């Protein structure tokens, strides 16, 4: 009996082994440069074992000498052949010009395993995606953002008050990464949900507590994100969820409450809640309605707070850049007498340069993914079939010396208006590009700008012995976030008394 079982197991193993070998010869058979995969894991073994962050994995694949002179490299996502794009012109074709063939993300989260998460815009497939994207886009016009600006600005004021309370404390030990998350949580709660989440004063309030749970990257969340991004074929076994049942209930409850209040008041605010009420009228299922609120919340606070945290760290490390930015803030405060709007803050040239440089160096989503919707002729040599995953390693590209001198140096001057013409617009794409790019780009940017402005208007940030020396990107997180905490001294230094 034992002998029979052993033979059976061995045969099964040999069959699987042989099947993988055949899969892994796919790019060789097409004579496309490809990187040797590891058995079962393809080219993602270090990601599976969390030995490297996804930003490094995709940057290493991009920099592999095998692809040096090629516009693309063949890789394997577990068993599946996938294409990693290297050439800017080809990237533009896939993301913009030939977008119709690449409308979907490869990422997929099933609404059966996560009823709210699986219905978020990011996860949606066309034509449902196209329909919802069109209806959500008006929420982000410049006009809407101008109207929203006072809400963001008032949270910025609260941030300044919060920092004041810290700096008056003789030995404050505060993790600025957490402070950024409190601020961005409050902004999203206010502009999207119409709530005063007040996380800056109550860091354990409902919004922050639930948000923390989603982005607290322990093994279970890492496996869920990982499955959705790379191995959704196994969703029926792993059953990934971005939102736990508890978080989903919290969101449903919050949205129900906000929608009921809006109906009662009858006053339109032209915000997300009004858009969701319209969806309700049009007969969209409840999970689709709450799913859109969920993506605003998920995509809106962690990405933005991550960009802010890295930016603050760079300002602490580069005091001369911080001083120059504070000088611009001082002049701006004098000129505006502390009263400004969306357009005015967007006109701050140096603030803009600093934000763009930080977003370049630390692209929050280190790779963009698309799925080939129908067969696509990449060039004369290569045709890819329907369903092929295609990746753009934007973190690696943004740190390629071919596009940026000394790419690991934080240098806002690259984005000076007189230098910007030399930058290829796909060399730095922190928000992606084309019809499927980040819908919240303008909101994200204004959140970051108002946040940084308020961090510096009355405070200086100075390194102390607990400030991180080397940035380590959390290998458990698929988004680019700093591992550990971000400590520094917050020193009160009022530049203009208003
Ligand atoms: C600085 C902050 C942010 C960064 C760096 C960022 C980055 C990104 C990136 C790289 C993508 C994928 C783009 C692509 O595949 O081409 C994306 C998608 C998305 N982002 Fe953002 N984002 C930010 C803030 C926001 C905010 C504030 C919101 C909304 C409140 C938001 C909502 C979304 C949504 C809904 C999608 C999916 C769009 C779709 O599939 O059509 N993001 N974001």
């Amino acid at each position: 009996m034992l002998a029979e079982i052993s033979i059976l197991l061995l045969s099964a193993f040999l069959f699987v082994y042989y099947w993988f070998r055949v899969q892994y010869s796919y790019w060789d058979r097409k004579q496309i440069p490809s990187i040797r995969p590891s058995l079962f894991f393809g080219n993602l073994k270090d990601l599976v074992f969390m030995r490297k962050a996804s930003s490094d994995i995709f940057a290493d694949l991009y920099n592999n000498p095998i692809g040096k002179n090629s516009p693309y490299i063949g890789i394997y996502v577990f068993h599946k052949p996938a294409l990693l794009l290297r050439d800017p012109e080809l990237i533009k074709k896939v993301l913009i010009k030939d977008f119709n063939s690449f409308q979907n993300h490869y990422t997929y989260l099933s609404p059966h395993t996560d009823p709210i998460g699986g219905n978020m815009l990011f996860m949606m497939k066309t034509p449902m995606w196209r329909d919802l994207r069109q209806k959500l886009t008006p929420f982000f016009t410049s006009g809407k953002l101008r109207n929203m600006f006072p809400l963001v600005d008032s949270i910025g004021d609260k941030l300044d008050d919060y920092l004041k309370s810290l700096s008056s404390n003789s030995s404050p030990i505060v993790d600025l990464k957490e402070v950024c998350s409190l601020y961005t949580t409050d902004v999203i709660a206010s502009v999207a949900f119409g709530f005063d989440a007040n996380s800056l004063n109550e860091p354990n309030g409902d919004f922050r507590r639930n948000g923390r749970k989603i982005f607290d990257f322990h093994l279970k969340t890492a496996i869920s994100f990982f499955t959705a991004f790379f191995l959704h074929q196994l969703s029926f076994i792993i059953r990934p969820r971005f939102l736990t049942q508890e978080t989903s209930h919290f969101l449903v409850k919050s949205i129900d409450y906000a929608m009921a209040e809006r109906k009662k008041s009858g006053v339109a605010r032209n915000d997300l809640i009004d858009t969701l009420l319209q969806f309700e009228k049009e007969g969209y299922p409840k999970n689709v309605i709450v799913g859109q609120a969920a993506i605003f919340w998920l995509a809106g606070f962690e990405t933005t707070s991550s960009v802010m945290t890295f930016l603050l760290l760079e300002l602490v490390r580069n005091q001369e850049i911080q001083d120059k930015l504070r000088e611009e803030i001082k002049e701006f405060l004098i000129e505006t007498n502390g009263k400004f709007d969306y357009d005015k803050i967007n006109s701050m040239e140096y603030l803009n340069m600093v934000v763009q440089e930080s977003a370049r160096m630390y692209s929050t989503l280190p790779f963009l993914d698309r799925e080939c919707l129908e067969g696509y002729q990449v060039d004369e040599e290569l045709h890819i079939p329907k369903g092929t995953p295609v990746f753009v390693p934007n973190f690696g590209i943004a740190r390629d010396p071919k596009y940026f001198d000394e790419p690991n140096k934080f240098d806002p001057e690259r984005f000076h208006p007189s230098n910007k013409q030399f930058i290829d617009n796909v060399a730095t794409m922190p928000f992606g590009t084309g019809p499927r790019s980040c819908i919240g780009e303008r909101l994200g940017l204004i959140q970051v700008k108002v946040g940084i402005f308020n961090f510096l208007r009355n405070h200086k940030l100075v390194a102390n012995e607990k400030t991180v020396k080397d940035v380590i990107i959390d290998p458990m997180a698929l988004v680019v976030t700093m591992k550990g905490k971000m400590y520094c001294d917050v020193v009160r230094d009022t530049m203009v008394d208003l």
Side-chain angles (χ1 to χ4, degrees), residues 260-331:
E261 287 294 300
R262 188 62 54 86
K263 279 184 204 158
K264 235 192 283 168
S265 77
V267 182
R269 271 181 78 200
N270 284 329
D271 60 4
L272 181 68
I273 300 300
D274 284 346
T275 311
L276 299 184
L277 281 169
Q278 189 56 36
F279 285 174
E280 192 181 56
K281 272 195 201 137
E282 290 176 27
Y284 285 96
K286 181 64 161 265
N287 288 340
V288 173
I289 296 175
V290 182
Q292 305 331 304
I295 185 70
F296 271 53
W297 184 46
L298 240 86
F301 84 84
E302 183 70 9
T303 46
T304 316
S305 79
S306 172
V307 172
M308 280 178 69
T309 308
F310 283 118
L311 175 41
L312 291 176
L313 177 66
E314 290 297 345
L315 293 177
V316 169
R317 288 169 152 189
N318 298 281
Q319 279 297 323
E320 69 299 344
I321 296 179
Q322 187 183 150
D323 290 345
K324 188 167 171 185
L325 181 56
R326 293 196 78 223
E327 196 50 40
E328 184 185 52
I329 293 173
K330 180 177 158 192
E331 282 166 21

Side-chain angles (χ1 to χ4, degrees), residues 105 121 129 133 295 299-300 303-304 364 370 430-432 436 438-439:
H105 286 291
L121 189 67
W129 164 76
R133 171 100 188 190
I295 185 70
T303 46
T304 316
T364 318
R370 297 289 186 270
F431 296 94
R436 194 120 203 193
C438 175
I439 198 173

Side-chain angles (χ1 to χ4, degrees), residues 128-324:
M128 182 73 157
W129 164 76
R130 198 175 267 281
D131 171 48
L132 279 177
R133 171 100 188 190
Q134 241 168 31
K135 289 180 173 151
L136 288 166
T137 298
F139 180 71
F140 295 98
T141 58
S142 302
K144 284 278 165 56
L145 283 156
R146 279 188 193 103
N147 290 340
M148 269 178 229
F149 184 78
L151 298 174
V152 184
D153 190 34
S154 78
I155 312 269
D157 287 342
K158 287 188 184 169
L159 174 63
D160 180 42
D161 289 344
Y162 176 84
L163 294 169
K164 190 174 167 187
S165 70
L166 289 185
S167 52
S168 55
N169 183 337
S170 58
S171 55
I173 301 181
V174 188
D175 171 18
L176 291 193
K177 188 171 154 188
E178 175 64 10
V179 179
C180 291
S181 293
L182 297 175
Y183 160 76
T184 55
T185 301
D186 283 0
V187 173
I188 290 297
S190 170
V191 301
F193 295 74
F195 285 132
D196 179 8
N198 202 18
S199 315
L200 280 162
N201 294 319
E202 290 170 36
N204 286 320
D206 283 350
F207 267 92
R208 180 63 197 132
R209 214 166 18 83
N210 280 287
R212 204 178 280 134
K213 272 189 210 151
I214 298 170
F215 287 101
D216 176 15
F217 282 101
H218 49 72
L219 196 61
K220 204 168 158 201
T221 40
I223 291 173
S224 278
F225 272 75
F226 190 83
T227 309
F229 273 85
F230 303 114
L231 201 54
H232 49 75
Q233 295 85 349
L234 288 191
S235 292
F236 67 99
I237 305 174
I238 298 176
R239 304 188 69 75
R241 288 189 80 123
F242 282 15
L243 300 154
T244 60
Q245 248 173 14
E246 191 194 343
T247 309
S248 301
H249 285 153
F250 162 72
L251 270 176
V252 172
K253 209 177 72 193
S254 306
I255 294 300
D256 275 350
Y257 177 79
M259 284 168 64
E261 287 294 300
R262 188 62 54 86
K263 279 184 204 158
K264 235 192 283 168
S265 77
V267 182
R269 271 181 78 200
N270 284 329
D271 60 4
L272 181 68
I273 300 300
D274 284 346
T275 311
L276 299 184
L277 281 169
Q278 189 56 36
F279 285 174
E280 192 181 56
K281 272 195 201 137
E282 290 176 27
Y284 285 96
K286 181 64 161 265
N287 288 340
V288 173
I289 296 175
V290 182
Q292 305 331 304
I295 185 70
F296 271 53
W297 184 46
L298 240 86
F301 84 84
E302 183 70 9
T303 46
T304 316
S305 79
S306 172
V307 172
M308 280 178 69
T309 308
F310 283 118
L311 175 41
L312 291 176
L313 177 66
E314 290 297 345
L315 293 177
V316 169
R317 288 169 152 189
N318 298 281
Q319 279 297 323
E320 69 299 344
I321 296 179
Q322 187 183 150
D323 290 345
K324 188 167 171 185

Side-chain angles (χ1 to χ4, degrees), residues 21 45 76 94 111 138 174 206 221 274 282 304 358 363 381 452:
R21 301 292 317 186
K45 191 171 174 188
Y76 296 92
V94 166
V174 188
D206 283 350
T221 40
D274 284 346
E282 290 176 27
T304 316
S358 170
S363 316
E381 278 98 56
I452 297 298

Side-chain angles (χ1 to χ4, degrees), residues 10 68 74 116 173 262 271 337 369 390 402-403 451 454 480:
L10 186 68
K68 200 169 164 231
I116 306 286
I173 301 181
R262 188 62 54 86
D271 60 4
N337 202 18
D369 68 316
V390 176
K402 194 157 99 191
Y403 303 113
N454 280 290
V480 175

